[in-house]
Structures are given as structure tokens and as C-alpha cells.
Amino acid sequence: MYKITPALGWNTWNTFTNKINEDLVLRSADAMANSPLRKAGYEYIVIDDCWSLHERDKNGRLVADPEKFPHGMKYVGDYIHSLGLKFGIYSCAGALTCAKYPGSYEHEFTDAETFASWGVDYLKYDFCFHSNIVPPHLLYKRMGIALANCGRDILYSACSWGAAETAKWIRETGAHSWRSTQDIQDCWSSVKDLITSQLHSLEYNGQGCFNDMDMLICGMNGKGDVSRGGCTQAEYHTHFAFWCFFGSTLMLGSDIRAMDEETLKLVTNPLLLRLNQDKKYSQPFMIGRRSDAYPLMAKFLDDGKIAIGFFNLTDGETSAWHSTFLTDEIGLPESTGKKLKLTDTADGTVLYSKNGCFSVPNTAAHASRVYIAEVIDA
């Protein structure tokens, strides 16, 4: 399997953690299949930690908890596939998972074969309780080779949180995506910290092994097991816009069975998703005045257009900010006789560069502006 764009889907963890069961998963699959989410490209239903019994069976195989999943995992996978969706599951490179269920350490081939027999399409592979003797890159290579030989295409989502210099070796393992951050929490400070952490590792973003900034908190609104007070709608917009701009995997974490219209509109925004699913998948780069507090970035797209993103990470009611850059910084000096026509991805407002420059309008604290810019004659 070679993925040319990041995966889109839903994961149980952010809202439900260990409070998962068959009915929740199947009804969430129904919700995705019968909503604009499916048309927008969301397709994976991923069961995170806490799905198995605490011990393997006599043959050394993982067993789904029969109280939570009475019909077993193949039944769940078959139902999800019947809706035209894809089935994801969770394991860990350690002896135990993060919630202390059996991990896949030294059971990699057995588990990969088990997952394949259940019809699994996506494996999130965590990093808790791992060996301190075996180097991390070998732990992830073990599962990479096991998945490659299990007889089924399974997207390999490595989740080592960027630890042990993951960025330098993860592409060796066969992973299709890699977690570059610590776990997200449903609050602005967490979103800000994760964004800031990525500004100095832009060069590690690449096609075929996508950067994953962790699951989305859009629409959680202070509910769920990672809630730390929630975010404002502007903060959720900045969160989703940056994940799209950066080309992160997009895994919804709210209860999609009860997603409100404002959240649904945000996470199905066609212009933002167009950036995330761009087939060229060029790396973003910094332009204008360099600052972690209000990064201004650009990214080349597959149709010759250019994404421009401004993110105001400063705090306080008086922290509205604007930024200006020379179009020469994206390879378009005034001498070319060209300028930019910029369409705001939020509301469709159209602006133009002038005299070889573009000034982003004042942007409130915690807010953002993302544009798709077309090169036109001056």
C-alpha cells in the first residue's frame, strides 16, 4: 500500500477512552456513512486501546473482550466494510498497551495475521511499556515487516509521539504515518503547544509517511475523556486549519453521532480539506517575519496554486496581529509581472497582492487565516 494523501477518519479515544463497545462503534460507523463526512473523504473507523481481554488465549492470540464486542472483531469489520468504510484497530510496540492490555511485543507476526483475518485496514501502533533493550526503530520495523507479510493491505500508523528521534528513522520501518507530538488535550494551550512543536521540523513532513499531529478535538466542546475545558470556535478553526495546512492525518475525536452543524461545517470545509489531500504534498515553509507566536507559512499545491496560512498563537484580547510578506519569498518577484489572487478558505473573501507584497488582515488572538492563492497577471 502506498498512500499519496493522509488518512481521514474517526477514533474512539478522545471521547470514550475505555468506555467502548460494539454498539458505539457500529452506530458511529452508521453516522459517518450517512453524513457529509463520508462524502468529504472520511473513511476509517478506528477502535483505540481497551478493546481486548487482559490476557491472550492459549494459542497466544489477542481476544476481543466478549462483554464489549460480543460478536467479535471480524463481525465489526464486516459491518464497517458493508457501509463502504474501513476498519482500524489499536496495538502497541510494548509488552503492554498504554492502558495495560496485551501489547504486540514479540507477537508481531501473530498479531498482524490476526488483524488481517478480522479485515483490519488500519493499525495504530503505540509506544508504551516498550523494551529498553531493543532500539525503537527495530520495534517498529518488526511490525512493519509483519504487516507487509500478513496477506492484507493494512495502513501502518506509527504512534511513538516523536520520541527517540522518530523523525530520523520512521521512514525505514514501512510506516505510512507517524505521530510527531505528545497526546492532544481539549484546550487551547494543548493546541498551541502542538502547533509550536512542529514549526522546527517542517522538513520531516513527506508523502508516503505522513506527519500525524494527533487526533482532532474539534466539536468536543469540553466533553469527553481528554477534555480540559474545551476551546472556542475560533480556536477549533485554528486547530483544524493548521492540521490541514500541515498535511496531518485527520482523525476525528468527538462523538460523531451527535456532531453539531458548526463542527460538521468546519471538518468538511472543502478548501481546507483540499489542502490536506493535495496530491503533490509539498512541505510547508516559513515566509514573512519569522515568529513562533504568529507563524506565516506557504505551501505549493499540485495545480500551481499556493496555500498561505497565518496563525495568531498570541494570547490576550489586545493581541490582534497582521503580517506582511514579499511575494518574492514564494518565488514570485514583482519583475515577473504576476500577482496573487487569494481566496479565504473560511468565507470565500478574495484579496490581491499589491506592489510585490501581501498584508494579511488583522487576525485576533488564537485565530487564523488560510488562503488558496492563484498566480495571475498583474
Side-chain angles (χ1 to χ4, degrees):
M1 175 187 289
Y2 181 75
K3 286 282 292 180
I4 64 170
T5 58
L8 277 63
W10 172 78
N11 181 294
T12 58
W13 185 260
N14 280 3
T15 295
F16 302 102
T17 58
N18 66 328
K19 297 181 285 295
I20 55 174
N21 58 56
E22 184 176 288
D23 187 67
L24 165 68
V25 173
L26 300 189
R27 299 295 76 79
S28 297
D30 288 337
M32 179 178 287
N34 296 310
S35 80
L37 293 171
R38 181 67 189 94
K39 187 176 181 181
Y42 293 91
E43 58 179 349
Y44 289 97
I45 298 290
V46 182
I47 301 172
D48 210 289
D49 204 351
C50 309
W51 59 266
S52 75
L53 290 177
H54 282 279
E55 293 186 12
R56 293 174 177 269
D57 68 15
K58 63 181 180 180
N59 297 313
R61 294 188 177 273
L62 294 169
V63 180
D65 185 333
E67 291 189 8
K68 294 179 178 179
F69 298 93
H71 293 95
M73 284 303 181
K74 188 176 187 309
Y75 174 87
V76 173
D78 287 346
Y79 185 89
I80 290 171
H81 292 150
S82 75
L83 300 175
L85 301 173
K86 295 180 180 179
F87 173 35
I89 207 162
Y90 168 98
S91 190
C92 187
L96 298 173
T97 70
C98 297
K100 298 186 178 181
Y101 290 79
S104 290
Y105 179 60
E106 295 194 329
H107 294 271
E108 292 87 359
F109 275 80
T110 298
D111 290 356
E113 291 167 4
T114 298
F115 299 149
S117 73
W118 292 343
V120 167
D121 304 296
Y122 181 108
L123 174 65
K124 176 182 174 182
Y125 202 53
D126 222 331
F127 196 47
C128 290
F129 299 101
H130 59 82
S131 169
N132 291 316
I133 299 172
V134 181
H137 70 92
L138 288 179
L139 295 175
Y140 279 89
K141 284 172 180 169
R142 287 181 180 184
M143 184 53 82
I145 195 67
L147 291 174
N149 287 276
C150 72
R152 183 176 179 83
D153 281 339
I154 298 178
L155 191 153
Y156 183 19
S157 175
C159 183
S160 61
W161 334 307
E165 298 185 309
T166 302
K168 295 182 178 180
W169 49 260
I170 192 61
R171 285 170 180 76
E172 303 170 1
T173 69
H176 299 100
S177 67
W178 66 285
R179 264 282 296 283
S180 57
T181 68
Q182 294 294 315
D183 290 356
I184 196 169
Q185 305 294 320
D186 183 22
C187 62
W188 169 249
S189 62
S190 177
V191 171
K192 178 179 177 178
D193 287 347
L194 297 194
I195 289 176
T196 303
S197 75
Q198 300 306 290
L199 297 177
H200 302 280
S201 58
L202 302 181
E203 66 273 20
Y204 295 112
N205 218 11
Q207 194 175 64
C209 188
F210 304 107
N211 185 294
D212 177 359
M213 293 180 63
D214 202 11
M215 295 165 286
L216 297 166
I217 56 169
C218 306
M220 291 191 66
N221 299 320
K223 301 176 182 177
D225 280 16
V226 304
S227 176
R228 299 296 181 271
C231 294
T232 66
Q233 200 58 37
E235 291 165 350
Y236 283 135
H237 181 275
T238 294
H239 161 47
F240 186 70
F242 191 90
W243 267 236
C244 285
F245 193 96
F246 200 69
S248 174
T249 297
L250 300 180
M251 285 289 159
L252 300 164
S254 64
D255 185 351
I256 57 174
R257 301 169 304 172
M259 184 174 282
D260 61 79
E261 287 300 317
E262 198 165 14
T263 300
L264 185 61
K265 182 179 179 181
L266 172 61
V267 300
T268 60
N269 180 307
L271 295 180
L272 289 176
L273 288 174
R274 182 258 179 276
L275 301 184
N276 181 264
Q277 296 291 293
D278 185 75
K279 292 180 174 58
K280 191 171 186 177
Y281 203 81
S282 296
Q283 292 175 180
F285 55 95
M286 303 288 283
I287 57 175
R289 179 180 175 184
R290 274 59 171 179
S291 171
D292 286 357
Y294 35 86
L296 179 61
M297 310 171 74
K299 182 166 81 168
F300 294 147
L301 304 177
D302 58 16
D303 58 0
K305 294 178 182 177
I306 305 163
I308 307 292
F310 178 66
F311 304 89
N312 186 350
L313 308 182
T314 60
D315 298 315
E317 293 182 3
T318 61
S319 295
W321 202 269
H322 76 276
S323 191
T324 298
F325 68 94
L326 301 178
T327 55
D328 191 15
E329 294 185 61
I330 56 174
L332 202 69
E334 192 174 15
S335 60
T336 61
K338 304 292 184 180
K339 65 179 180 180
L340 296 177
K341 175 184 177 182
L342 301 99
T343 300
D344 192 313
T345 57
D347 60 16
T349 299
V350 174
L351 299 172
Y352 296 87
S353 63
K354 298 178 181 178
N355 302 316
C357 298
F358 179 72
S359 292
V360 180
N362 267 17
T363 305
H366 304 183
S368 57
R369 296 182 189 271
V370 176
Y371 300 92
I372 294 180
E374 180 181 359
V375 178
I376 63 173
D377 291 334

